């Protein structure tokens, strides 16, 4: 049930919809491409100003890269909520695949098209305008708010852990709303509180031990690592996988998973191994995946034209409690045991996996009233297949994290013609109003 | 034993060595890159003129591409020898890897460095200057000579069969000395009279039937096609391989194969499967090889960054009597039988394999006196691992073909810093003098 206070705030949001959309347009018109160091200071300043206008005393925190923007609205409330977002976007290239210029926000059929519109400026602002409307109508939030916006998320958040280490008081809170969050078009809002990890590496064949083509040795090694049923077959690779707890298992099995929507979104007519139902849901939370990102020749013999050395770039999407170092040791042992001692492993970067806690106060505050805004309950996940630095933050701080926001499965984040559904943008703000209330009052 | 006539011709060659090397420099200074249509007419004209100066009445024969240069010295002799060469070269790129400019012939330590110096201008001229010296000293060759030089060998000889079909009298002869031919540095001259065939193709995975990554499906399919002992395991792929005849088997097993030289040349310390001796020699003549030229993503999903379709480029080096069409049928059946019906095969181009006839008059005429010139007998092969259009010509004409010439295993044909050993260039001419004599007189 939406109470009278919230109804008044919602009415204000509806009345000021045009103004809030104009603010999103202004944000999206400002390039902020971290990989190209394009517009970062201008964008940080724009956010600092918005936070200050909300009463949060916006400040730039330097960490050696793009600054963190920080602010706090301290109402002396019992509970504090952190809004973590990022203000950088991925590069707009290739330009020729955009139907409208990436930094000229354009509304077509209720969607705003621009680089960054869904990832993450739409979600960032939908949270900020919820704060704005709540304060304009009711004077004061029932919670304290911390704003943290970083400018290096799209390049791997290289200073995030430094920021947390050097400014523990700036992240300390009772819950963090993380950047991102999704929705199925014409379907439920997706709320999640965990992510798979990722471990990247290369396998290199420099001098094939039997002098066959190095590419063939990589083929044979790869074949030993994953079978035609799509199971990873690296020896002992599954040893450290944490089974679902009874609580998690009940949660997963009781949760709806919209198989038809996922098939449609991915353009497929069935899942791997024809999985459906509970088996499909369990796979998502307990099975890593292993991907080939590319296979390339490192050195070509100029006389014969044959490859002298070759390499394959790979990643593993991990589940708890797979540790990158242990996985790389197991892979080394596997290759040795299967006659591939001559292949080298070059480790890449890693993020950790995390299965979230749907019984946290924050999770309950988010999930409770989703149907009031969206007309149907949320699709709640312990973990999604994507990866980000979230698990590091949870591990370092112990603070529960939840993702919900204004992207949907038509948003094309990171791709040409990125967009955000403006109705979803406004609804996201309305949901946040309820989240603030619930977070203040729930047990 | 070198007879008095030949000794006189050899002496003439020695006296005019500088002039013959200058001619080679002039030829190598003229670019003739068929793939870039660079200098082709100028080069053809240069050869036409040389053939005419030799008394061969050089003429250009048009076939729709670069012209064939043809000429004949008709001495009314019993036997006719065709000298088949090509005047085109591969592109010089990458320029930055050349120590000297590719079209400024430069002599360093007895080797002439230039694009085309070994493939094929050195061998072409060593044959032509043998004709020149023989005629200058003895007035008349004991055989008739046909000169055929084409300008499209490096782009697959697209008009060679047209030339033979339209001008059967211009190739008709008792033997053909083919372009190419090699020598082991500080080792024997390599004489061969056959080549492996090549069949190129791609395997494409557009829509993986179990929705795993298309690259993985290619890995699994490839793994079913060749095992870790480097044996091709495509079902029935060996069915059509012609066993060695008793004659061929004796020839192969009695022939020396300089394993140490080959290991040194290829920078390896042992052969596949640790093969040595007769088993190694038999492999060369009876076992095809299958190579991966590259694996690439055809289409990337712009949202997930994952490959949606992928392909692998491959080739098979074939042995008699493997027919390209039959191999592709067998590969299709193999993929279907192993659960890869969803993979497509795109056929590429093919040349045929051919095991030569060392008992032909021409072969005997070439092999007989090699030791007189090089101090050791020739290393004679029924077939080499390289491929060219030769088998088509043999099949169409029935004329025996032999390769011997002025390349060696330091020549780096097709690579930067291509070179020819000038001592080998002169010796090649001297050997040809003996070949002319033998070809005229042997039974």
């Amino acid at each position: 049930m939406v109470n009278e206070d919230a109804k008044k705030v919602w009415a204000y949001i509806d009345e000021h919809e045009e103004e809030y959309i104009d603010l999103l347009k202004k944000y999206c018109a400002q390039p902020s491409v971290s990989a190209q160091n394009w517009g970062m200071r201008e964008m940080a300043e724009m956010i600092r100003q918005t936070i200050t206008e909300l009463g949060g005393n916006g400040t730039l925190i330097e960490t050696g890269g793009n600054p963190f923007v920080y602010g706090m609205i301290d109402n002396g409330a019992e509970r504090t909520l952190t809004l973590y977002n990022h203000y950088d976007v991925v590069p707009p290239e290739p330009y020729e695949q955009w139907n409208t210029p990436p930094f000229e926000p354009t509304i077509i059929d209720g969607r705003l098209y621009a680089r960054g519109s869904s990832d993450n400026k739409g979600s960032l602002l939908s949270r900020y305008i919820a704060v704005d409307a709540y304060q304009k109508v009711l004077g004061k939030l029932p919670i304290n708010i911390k704003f943290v916006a970083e400018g290096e998320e799209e390049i791997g958040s290289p200073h995030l852990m430094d920021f947390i280490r050097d400014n523990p008081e700036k992240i300390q809170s009772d819950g963090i709303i993380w950047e991102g969050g999704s929705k199925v078009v014409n379907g439920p809002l997706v709320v999640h509180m965990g992510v798979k990890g990722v471990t990247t590496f290369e396998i290199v064949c420099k001098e094939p031990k039997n002098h066959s083509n190095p590419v063939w040795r990589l083929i044979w090694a790869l074949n030993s690592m994953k079978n035609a049923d799509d199971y990873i077959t690296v020896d002992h690779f599954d040893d450290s996988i944490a089974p679902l707890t009874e609580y998690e298992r009940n949660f997963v099995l009781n949760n709806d998973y919209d198989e038809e929507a996922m098939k449609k979104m991915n353009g497929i007519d069935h899942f791997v191994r024809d999985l459906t139902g509970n088996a499909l849901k369990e796979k998502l939370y307990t099975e890593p995946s292993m991907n080939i990102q590319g296979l390339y020749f490192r050195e070509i013999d100029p006389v014969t034209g044959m490859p002298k050395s070759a390499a394959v770039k790979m990643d593993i999407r991990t589940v708890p409690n797979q540790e990158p170092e242990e996985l790389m040791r197991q892979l080394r042992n596997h290759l040795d045991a299967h006659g591939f001692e001559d292949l080298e492993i070059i480790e890449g970067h890693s993020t950790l996996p995390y299965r979230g806690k749907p019984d946290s106060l924050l999770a309950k505050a988010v999930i409770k009233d989703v149907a009031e805004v969206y007309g149907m309950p949320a699709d709640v996940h312990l973990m999604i297949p994507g990866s980000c630095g979230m698990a590091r933050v949870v591990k370092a701080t112990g603070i529960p994290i939840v993702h919900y926001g204004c992207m949907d499965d038509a948003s094309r984040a990171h791709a040409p013609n990125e967009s955000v559904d403006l109705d979803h943008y406004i609804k996201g703000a309305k949901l946040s109003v309820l989240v603030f209330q619930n977070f203040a009052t729930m047990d």
Side-chain angles (χ1 to χ4, degrees), chain A:
Chain A
M1 287 291 290
V2 182
N3 61 31
E4 290 306 312
D5 278 355
K7 280 183 183 162
K8 286 183 208 158
V9 181
W10 285 18
Y12 182 91
I13 292 173
D14 285 333
E15 284 155 26
H16 294 79
E17 179 177 324
E18 199 172 332
E19 175 191 321
Y20 288 146
I21 290 171
D22 283 345
L23 184 65
L24 178 57
K25 278 186 181 173
K26 186 183 152 199
Y27 266 58
C28 291
Q30 171 61 53
S32 55
V33 187
S34 49
Q36 300 169 343
N37 194 24
W38 179 14
M40 300 314 299
R41 289 278 155 181
E42 292 84 344
M43 192 70 230
E45 177 55 33
M46 195 181 289
I47 292 180
R48 194 198 61 69
Q49 194 181 326
T50 301
I51 291 173
T52 298
E53 285 166 7
L54 292 172
N57 189 27
T59 51
L60 302 190
I61 313 283
E62 299 295 342
T63 56
N66 296 324
F68 279 66
V69 192
Y70 174 74
M72 181 178 180
I73 299 173
D74 186 351
N75 292 316
E78 185 190 346
R79 292 171 181 159
T80 302
L81 183 64
T82 298
L83 305 179
Y84 165 84
N85 292 278
H86 62 90
Y87 61 86
D88 62 328
V89 302
V90 297
E93 287 82 0
Y95 281 96
E96 68 276 11
Q97 290 184 22
W98 284 80
N99 299 323
T100 60
F103 297 111
E104 293 180 20
T106 308
I107 297 173
I108 302 169
D109 292 338
R111 299 188 72 93
L112 186 147
Y113 289 84
R115 167 61 77 231
S117 57
S118 74
D119 185 11
N120 164 243
K121 292 172 180 176
S123 293
L124 179 148
L125 278 179
S126 82
R127 294 151 188 177
Y128 288 15
I129 64 177
V131 173
D132 180 64
Y134 201 106
Q135 295 185 139
K136 292 267 171 64
V137 173
L138 301 173
K140 201 171 103 167
L141 287 162
I143 54 172
N144 309 313
I145 292 277
K146 288 180 175 175
F147 302 91
V148 176
E150 76 153 304
E152 300 179 319
E153 200 270 348
E154 299 294 9
I155 54 174
S157 297
H159 295 95
L160 176 58
M161 297 316 289
D162 295 345
F163 173 79
I164 291 173
R165 186 196 59 215
D166 297 341
N167 305 277
E169 78 289 355
K170 291 190 171 58
I171 194 92
Q172 190 49 55
S173 53
D174 302 292
I176 303 174
I177 304 295
W178 199 260
E179 65 98 21
S182 190
K183 184 179 170 302
V184 178
V185 173
N186 299 324
L189 183 77
V190 179
V191 174
H192 60 98
M193 48 212 80
V195 288
K196 286 196 168 179
V198 66
T199 292
T200 70
F201 58 99
E202 288 187 43
I203 303 178
V204 180
C205 183
K206 277 187 184 159
E207 293 176 7
K209 72 168 186 181
N210 65 355
H211 298 303
S212 55
N213 184 313
V215 185
W216 278 106
R217 283 196 69 68
L218 291 176
I219 300 294
W220 299 323
L222 287 166
N223 186 71
S224 78
M225 292 164 60
K226 188 166 166 177
N227 69 21
D229 285 332
D230 215 65
Y231 282 111
I232 296 175
T233 49
V234 176
D235 303 338
H236 301 290
F237 231 46
D238 293 348
D239 288 0
S240 56
I241 293 177
L244 291 175
T245 63
E246 197 57 30
Y247 173 83
E248 288 172 336
R249 193 178 162 74
N250 283 331
F251 182 87
V252 169
L253 299 190
N254 287 325
N255 191 39
D256 281 334
Y257 182 73
D258 192 336
E259 297 182 13
E260 293 311 313
M262 290 306 288
K263 284 195 275 190
K264 195 178 158 206
M265 175 173 160
N266 289 293
I268 58 180
D269 57 13
H270 63 283
F271 292 94
V272 166
R273 295 177 225 136
D274 283 322
L275 286 174
T276 59
N278 290 343
L280 180 63
K281 286 191 273 184
E282 279 195 69
K283 177 184 191 299
L284 182 64
Y285 300 111
T286 58
E287 194 176 308
S289 61
M290 187 160 63
N291 307 305
I292 295 171
Q293 297 182 350
L295 191 151
Y296 64 97
F297 298 170
R298 287 162 51 101
E299 195 188 355
I300 302 284
D301 185 302
V303 175
T304 64
M306 297 288 284
K308 291 179 75 172
S309 64
V312 59
K313 287 196 181 202
M314 306 187 67
D315 68 70
I316 302 164
R317 299 282 166 163
T318 55
V319 295
N321 293 320
Q322 294 185 307
E323 292 280 347
E325 300 74 15
E326 179 63 13
L327 293 179
M328 291 300 99
R329 270 194 298 276
Q330 288 164 342
L331 179 58
R332 177 73 272 159
N333 291 339
H334 172 91
L335 291 176
D336 291 351
H338 291 258
F340 298 106
E341 320 83 40
D342 54 321
L343 303 189
E344 289 178 33
I345 300 170
I346 300 175
E347 296 181 32
H349 66 88
S350 293
T351 66
L352 296 175
Y354 176 63
R355 284 202 292 254
K357 301 278 173 275
D359 55 345
S360 69
L361 173 65
L362 177 62
K364 288 189 284 184
V366 170
I367 296 164
K368 178 171 174 282
D369 289 324
V370 167
E372 302 286 351
V373 180
Y374 289 93
M376 65 183 94
D379 186 16
V380 183
H381 291 269
L382 298 177
M383 189 166 74
I384 55 161
S387 302
C388 71
M390 196 190 81
R392 287 182 297 174
V393 177
V394 176
K395 215 169 179 178
T397 65
I399 305 169
I401 291 180
V402 171
H403 295 238
Y404 73 93
C406 299
M407 296 163 92
D408 60 28
D409 54 286
S411 282
R412 297 175 60 89
H414 293 208
N417 302 309
E418 178 179 349
S419 68
V420 69
D421 177 351
L422 291 172
D423 179 59
H424 184 19
Y425 170 66
I426 293 299
K427 283 201 170 90
K430 289 181 177 175
L431 178 61
S432 288
V433 170
L434 304 185
V435 171
F436 299 157
Q437 286 186 333
N438 290 339
F439 196 58
T441 57
M442 286 176 77
D443 294 326

PDB file of all heavy atoms in Angstrom, chain A residues 248-259:
ATOM      1  N   GLU A 248      19.217 -20.460   0.573  1.00  0.00           N
ATOM      2  CA  GLU A 248      19.402 -20.022  -0.820  1.00  0.00           C
ATOM      3  C   GLU A 248      18.613 -20.915  -1.773  1.00  0.00           C
ATOM      4  O   GLU A 248      17.989 -20.446  -2.725  1.00  0.00           O
ATOM      5  CB  GLU A 248      20.894 -20.059  -1.188  1.00  0.00           C
ATOM      6  CG  GLU A 248      21.726 -18.956  -0.523  1.00  0.00           C
ATOM      7  CD  GLU A 248      23.217 -19.109  -0.735  1.00  0.00           C
ATOM      8  OE1 GLU A 248      23.680 -20.255  -0.979  1.00  0.00           O
ATOM      9  OE2 GLU A 248      23.927 -18.094  -0.664  1.00  0.00           O
ATOM     10  N   ARG A 249      18.666 -22.229  -1.484  1.00  0.00           N
ATOM     11  CA  ARG A 249      18.001 -23.173  -2.358  1.00  0.00           C
ATOM     12  C   ARG A 249      16.497 -22.917  -2.397  1.00  0.00           C
ATOM     13  O   ARG A 249      15.886 -22.883  -3.472  1.00  0.00           O
ATOM     14  CB  ARG A 249      18.293 -24.598  -1.859  1.00  0.00           C
ATOM     15  CG  ARG A 249      17.931 -25.666  -2.835  1.00  0.00           C
ATOM     16  CD  ARG A 249      18.287 -27.051  -2.316  1.00  0.00           C
ATOM     17  NE  ARG A 249      17.540 -28.028  -3.088  1.00  0.00           N
ATOM     18  CZ  ARG A 249      17.839 -28.338  -4.330  1.00  0.00           C
ATOM     19  NH1 ARG A 249      18.894 -27.800  -4.909  1.00  0.00           N
ATOM     20  NH2 ARG A 249      17.094 -29.188  -4.996  1.00  0.00           N
ATOM     21  N   ASN A 250      15.910 -22.718  -1.243  1.00  0.00           N
ATOM     22  CA  ASN A 250      14.477 -22.418  -1.197  1.00  0.00           C
ATOM     23  C   ASN A 250      14.180 -21.122  -1.930  1.00  0.00           C
ATOM     24  O   ASN A 250      13.210 -21.009  -2.666  1.00  0.00           O
ATOM     25  CB  ASN A 250      14.006 -22.313   0.257  1.00  0.00           C
ATOM     26  CG  ASN A 250      13.869 -23.685   0.867  1.00  0.00           C
ATOM     27  OD1 ASN A 250      13.602 -24.655   0.161  1.00  0.00           O
ATOM     28  ND2 ASN A 250      14.081 -23.773   2.161  1.00  0.00           N
ATOM     29  N   PHE A 251      15.066 -20.136  -1.728  1.00  0.00           N
ATOM     30  CA  PHE A 251      14.863 -18.850  -2.378  1.00  0.00           C
ATOM     31  C   PHE A 251      14.890 -19.003  -3.893  1.00  0.00           C
ATOM     32  O   PHE A 251      14.014 -18.503  -4.607  1.00  0.00           O
ATOM     33  CB  PHE A 251      15.938 -17.860  -1.928  1.00  0.00           C
ATOM     34  CG  PHE A 251      15.746 -16.513  -2.540  1.00  0.00           C
ATOM     35  CD1 PHE A 251      14.917 -15.578  -1.934  1.00  0.00           C
ATOM     36  CD2 PHE A 251      16.356 -16.181  -3.745  1.00  0.00           C
ATOM     37  CE1 PHE A 251      14.704 -14.343  -2.521  1.00  0.00           C
ATOM     38  CE2 PHE A 251      16.142 -14.954  -4.334  1.00  0.00           C
ATOM     39  CZ  PHE A 251      15.321 -14.029  -3.722  1.00  0.00           C
ATOM     40  N   VAL A 252      15.904 -19.721  -4.360  1.00  0.00           N
ATOM     41  CA  VAL A 252      16.068 -19.885  -5.808  1.00  0.00           C
ATOM     42  C   VAL A 252      14.876 -20.627  -6.389  1.00  0.00           C
ATOM     43  O   VAL A 252      14.301 -20.230  -7.406  1.00  0.00           O
ATOM     44  CB  VAL A 252      17.371 -20.655  -6.112  1.00  0.00           C
ATOM     45  CG1 VAL A 252      17.415 -21.070  -7.569  1.00  0.00           C
ATOM     46  CG2 VAL A 252      18.577 -19.802  -5.750  1.00  0.00           C
ATOM     47  N   LEU A 253      14.480 -21.727  -5.713  1.00  0.00           N
ATOM     48  CA  LEU A 253      13.437 -22.563  -6.306  1.00  0.00           C
ATOM     49  C   LEU A 253      12.062 -21.911  -6.219  1.00  0.00           C
ATOM     50  O   LEU A 253      11.200 -22.175  -7.050  1.00  0.00           O
ATOM     51  CB  LEU A 253      13.435 -23.940  -5.631  1.00  0.00           C
ATOM     52  CG  LEU A 253      14.766 -24.707  -5.798  1.00  0.00           C
ATOM     53  CD1 LEU A 253      14.603 -26.141  -5.315  1.00  0.00           C
ATOM     54  CD2 LEU A 253      15.262 -24.688  -7.235  1.00  0.00           C
ATOM     55  N   ASN A 254      11.891 -21.031  -5.245  1.00  0.00           N
ATOM     56  CA  ASN A 254      10.597 -20.356  -5.124  1.00  0.00           C
ATOM     57  C   ASN A 254      10.508 -19.122  -6.015  1.00  0.00           C
ATOM     58  O   ASN A 254       9.450 -18.518  -6.127  1.00  0.00           O
ATOM     59  CB  ASN A 254      10.353 -19.944  -3.662  1.00  0.00           C
ATOM     60  CG  ASN A 254      10.041 -21.160  -2.817  1.00  0.00           C
ATOM     61  OD1 ASN A 254       9.402 -22.102  -3.296  1.00  0.00           O
ATOM     62  ND2 ASN A 254      10.500 -21.160  -1.580  1.00  0.00           N
ATOM     63  N   ASN A 255      11.662 -18.747  -6.574  1.00  0.00           N
ATOM     64  CA  ASN A 255      11.692 -17.527  -7.378  1.00  0.00           C
ATOM     65  C   ASN A 255      11.288 -17.845  -8.815  1.00  0.00           C
ATOM     66  O   ASN A 255      11.707 -18.836  -9.385  1.00  0.00           O
ATOM     67  CB  ASN A 255      13.111 -16.952  -7.355  1.00  0.00           C
ATOM     68  CG  ASN A 255      13.153 -15.558  -7.951  1.00  0.00           C
ATOM     69  OD1 ASN A 255      12.261 -14.759  -7.746  1.00  0.00           O
ATOM     70  ND2 ASN A 255      14.208 -15.290  -8.697  1.00  0.00           N
ATOM     71  N   ASP A 256      10.462 -16.987  -9.382  1.00  0.00           N
ATOM     72  CA  ASP A 256      10.121 -17.165 -10.790  1.00  0.00           C
ATOM     73  C   ASP A 256      11.314 -16.784 -11.656  1.00  0.00           C
ATOM     74  O   ASP A 256      12.040 -15.848 -11.338  1.00  0.00           O
ATOM     75  CB  ASP A 256       8.937 -16.269 -11.164  1.00  0.00           C
ATOM     76  CG  ASP A 256       7.623 -16.871 -10.697  1.00  0.00           C
ATOM     77  OD1 ASP A 256       7.572 -18.104 -10.555  1.00  0.00           O
ATOM     78  OD2 ASP A 256       6.675 -16.099 -10.452  1.00  0.00           O
ATOM     79  N   TYR A 257      11.516 -17.532 -12.732  1.00  0.00           N
ATOM     80  CA  TYR A 257      12.544 -17.152 -13.699  1.00  0.00           C
ATOM     81  C   TYR A 257      11.832 -17.139 -15.035  1.00  0.00           C
ATOM     82  O   TYR A 257      11.288 -18.164 -15.469  1.00  0.00           O
ATOM     83  CB  TYR A 257      13.687 -18.171 -13.683  1.00  0.00           C
ATOM     84  CG  TYR A 257      14.810 -17.831 -14.627  1.00  0.00           C
ATOM     85  CD1 TYR A 257      15.693 -16.792 -14.345  1.00  0.00           C
ATOM     86  CD2 TYR A 257      14.987 -18.555 -15.805  1.00  0.00           C
ATOM     87  CE1 TYR A 257      16.727 -16.477 -15.213  1.00  0.00           C
ATOM     88  CE2 TYR A 257      16.029 -18.247 -16.672  1.00  0.00           C
ATOM     89  CZ  TYR A 257      16.893 -17.214 -16.378  1.00  0.00           C
ATOM     90  OH  TYR A 257      17.915 -16.911 -17.236  1.00  0.00           O
ATOM     91  N   ASP A 258      11.802 -15.973 -15.673  1.00  0.00           N
ATOM     92  CA  ASP A 258      11.003 -15.830 -16.886  1.00  0.00           C
ATOM     93  C   ASP A 258      11.779 -16.396 -18.078  1.00  0.00           C
ATOM     94  O   ASP A 258      12.462 -15.684 -18.798  1.00  0.00           O
ATOM     95  CB  ASP A 258      10.665 -14.348 -17.100  1.00  0.00           C
ATOM     96  CG  ASP A 258       9.596 -14.167 -18.174  1.00  0.00           C
ATOM     97  OD1 ASP A 258       9.459 -15.066 -19.036  1.00  0.00           O
ATOM     98  OD2 ASP A 258       8.912 -13.135 -18.143  1.00  0.00           O
ATOM     99  N   GLU A 259      11.667 -17.718 -18.248  1.00  0.00           N
ATOM    100  CA  GLU A 259      12.451 -18.387 -19.294  1.00  0.00           C
ATOM    101  C   GLU A 259      12.139 -17.848 -20.678  1.00  0.00           C
ATOM    102  O   GLU A 259      13.031 -17.664 -21.502  1.00  0.00           O
ATOM    103  CB  GLU A 259      12.183 -19.906 -19.258  1.00  0.00           C
ATOM    104  CG  GLU A 259      12.636 -20.546 -17.953  1.00  0.00           C
ATOM    105  CD  GLU A 259      12.421 -22.054 -17.936  1.00  0.00           C
ATOM    106  OE1 GLU A 259      12.168 -22.633 -19.001  1.00  0.00           O
ATOM    107  OE2 GLU A 259      12.539 -22.634 -16.838  1.00  0.00           O
TER     108      GLU A 259
END
